[in-house]
Amino acid sequence: MLLVTGVNGGLGALVLERLAGREGVVAGSRTPQRVPAGVPARLVDFDRPRTLAEAFTGVRTLLLISAGAAEDDVVIARHGAAIGAAERAGVDHVVYTSLSGDGDHLPYALAHRWTERRLRASATLRWTVLRNGLYAEFLGAIAAPGPDGVISAPLGDGRLAAVARADLAEAAVNVALAPAGHAGRTYELVGERAVGGAEVAEALGAAYRPGRLTDARAAVAASDARDFQVPMVVGTYSAIAHGFLAGPGGPGDLAALLGRAPRPALEVIAEGR
């Protein structure tokens, strides 16, 4: 049995779509009533670890989609609870969606690296780590033109090896359906061609006049973002602007797992406008 967590999130929903109709697939969610009709679902709430023993019963492969969007201590507690429950339930293999290695400079990298270390230390679990790059959809959101048609995101001359979320979902499915061949592997799943603010502007028919990190911080803080999200967004801008997320500049693990070239980030951004 394959259990997928976080199926009501953006990545999890795409994974579940690609597994539709397959026998032995179970959706895990804090709100199982929202899982699409006809899909077996179980209550999986990492903030209520007691739900996990029953949820993981009979599971051979666990596709653990990162339970982020929180402070480090909360995310680490969630992932620790999930991995501990998987060990006690006799789960054979955990496939974990992590963060790309070049993301170590990002404010939200720590919880991912802790989770990878926890999996490697397990005495019973086999594991595969999918180090996902930042989504092209995310870049489109943080570099969206303002009402005046100008992109003012403080990306400077930096570039991001952004990747289509749907490609990451497909790669995760391919690994989770045949995990044995990927045991003990860590894959770097980033885009093959990095793009910058000027290219995003051209794709959207906008102008690009990058602003300052100070101004971006003030704008994010004035939005409906939660306090911990402010340094996350600003740190991401800074990492892109200063050249830490440009990727390898060619084919990598993502193309190998997909069996084809990944979708171009600019195409994804233009479609999502």
Side-chain angles (χ1 to χ4, degrees):
M1 181 189 302
L2 165 63
L3 187 143
V4 183
T5 70
V7 297
N8 291 327
L11 179 62
L14 290 173
V15 167
L16 198 60
E17 284 180 10
R18 284 155 179 75
L19 291 170
R22 285 187 174 271
E23 294 291 330
V25 174
V26 177
S29 173
R30 291 193 301 174
T31 53
Q33 67 276 12
R34 293 174 51 200
V35 171
V39 179
R42 294 182 179 181
L43 173 63
V44 174
D45 187 343
F46 297 146
D47 292 327
R48 292 189 289 161
R50 291 182 180 179
T51 68
L52 303 180
E54 182 176 354
F56 292 173
T57 299
V59 172
R60 293 295 304 278
T61 303
L62 174 66
L63 177 50
L64 177 59
I65 294 179
S66 173
E71 298 280 9
D72 284 344
D73 55 350
V74 174
V75 178
I76 287 171
R78 289 170 176 170
H79 292 174
I83 294 170
E87 290 171 327
R88 292 188 293 274
V91 171
D92 179 60
H93 198 123
V94 174
V95 179
Y96 173 60
T97 62
S98 188
L99 175 69
S100 61
D102 57 10
D104 277 344
H105 299 86
L106 296 172
Y108 37 93
L110 186 147
H112 288 291
R113 300 298 175 251
W114 182 93
T115 306
E116 293 179 14
R117 185 175 64 183
R118 174 66 178 84
L119 285 170
R120 289 194 297 268
S122 177
T124 61
L125 294 171
R126 291 191 288 180
W127 53 267
T128 305
V129 172
L130 305 179
R131 284 185 164 180
N132 291 347
L134 298 185
Y135 302 153
E137 294 87 344
F138 174 72
L139 177 59
I142 67 171
D148 58 357
V150 175
I151 295 175
S152 60
L155 300 175
D157 296 324
R159 302 163 73 84
L160 171 65
V163 57
R165 185 162 51 191
D167 280 354
L168 295 175
E170 184 176 331
V173 168
N174 291 346
V175 171
L177 289 176
H182 304 281
R185 298 291 301 275
T186 297
Y187 294 108
E188 295 288 345
L189 307 181
V190 299
E192 295 185 353
R193 179 178 178 274
V195 298
E199 291 166 295
V200 173
E202 182 179 358
L204 299 179
Y208 180 52
R209 292 197 287 273
R212 302 181 306 162
L213 289 171
T214 297
D215 297 328
R217 182 179 297 276
V220 176
S223 71
D224 59 358
R226 298 169 67 181
D227 288 346
F228 70 87
Q229 292 174 317
V230 177
M232 287 184 170
V233 176
V234 177
T236 301
Y237 280 136
S238 184
I240 296 171
H242 295 101
F244 286 97
L245 296 174
D253 292 339
L254 182 56
L257 291 182
L258 293 175
R260 58 171 175 81
R263 287 189 65 199
L266 289 178
E267 178 182 299
V268 175
I269 292 170
E271 288 182 359
R273 185 176 181 183

